[in-house]
Amino acid sequence: MVSLRSSGELFLFSLFLTVSYLVLRRIAHSPLGKIFLAIRENEKRAEYLGYHVTRTSSLPFVISGVFTALGRRPLCLVPRYTTADFFSLYWSIIPIVWCLIGGLGTLIGPCLGVLIMSLFQYYVSAWWTYYLIIFGVLILFILRVSKAASSDLS
């Protein structure tokens, strides 16, 4: 977890988060975002409408890579070092867990997932070392109960 030592770092982090959210929201509600949605729902129909599906469906991966690289930048600048630990399996799976907890298909859902998991991790790990077992059961419960999560994953 990144510790923000000064109010200037907190301001820059909050500014970056707000600007990133607004840019992604603009993309999602633009005509390009509607094309992304059309391709996700039915590729053949989008192709029949005249959209180049292969080219357009690779664009979200490029956008995702750009925001992932920009989002990882504070982890190198604030503590002034980075380790290979960020390439582990844990850091590959945890964003998926954030999305599952907060909700799929929205921009604010993963943010809520990060908040819920961070609070859960902070408070429950103080009581019990193996808090991830409780968290795993909670995720299984969310996946079992949530109709949207089960339909989005299939």
Side-chain angles (χ1 to χ4, degrees), residues 5-94:
R5 294 177 291 242
S6 68
S7 60
E9 289 175 353
L10 180 63
F11 174 75
L12 287 176
F13 180 76
S14 300
L15 180 69
F16 174 74
L17 181 67
T18 304
V19 169
S20 298
Y21 176 79
L22 292 175
V23 167
L24 288 173
R25 182 180 159 96
R26 176 74 176 136
I27 291 172
H29 293 298
S30 70
L32 181 63
K34 303 299 181 194
I35 295 170
F36 291 157
L37 188 63
I39 291 173
R40 184 186 74 183
E41 296 299 323
N42 193 336
E43 282 188 26
K44 286 290 186 192
R45 185 179 299 156
E47 191 173 355
Y48 291 147
L49 289 173
Y51 298 115
H52 194 276
V53 173
T54 308
R55 189 179 332 146
T56 310
S57 61
S58 64
L59 192 56
F61 293 105
V62 173
I63 294 170
S64 173
V66 167
F67 278 96
T68 301
L70 290 174
R72 283 295 189 188
R73 190 165 183 246
L75 287 176
C76 298
L77 293 178
V78 173
R80 305 264 192 260
Y81 71 92
T82 187
T83 63
D85 186 43
F86 292 116
F87 296 108
S88 68
L89 184 63
Y90 175 79
W91 287 106
S92 297
I93 293 176
I94 205 70

Side-chain angles (χ1 to χ4, degrees), residues 92-104:
S92 297
I93 293 176
I94 205 70
I96 297 169
V97 172
W98 293 335
C99 292
L100 289 176
I101 292 171
L104 298 170

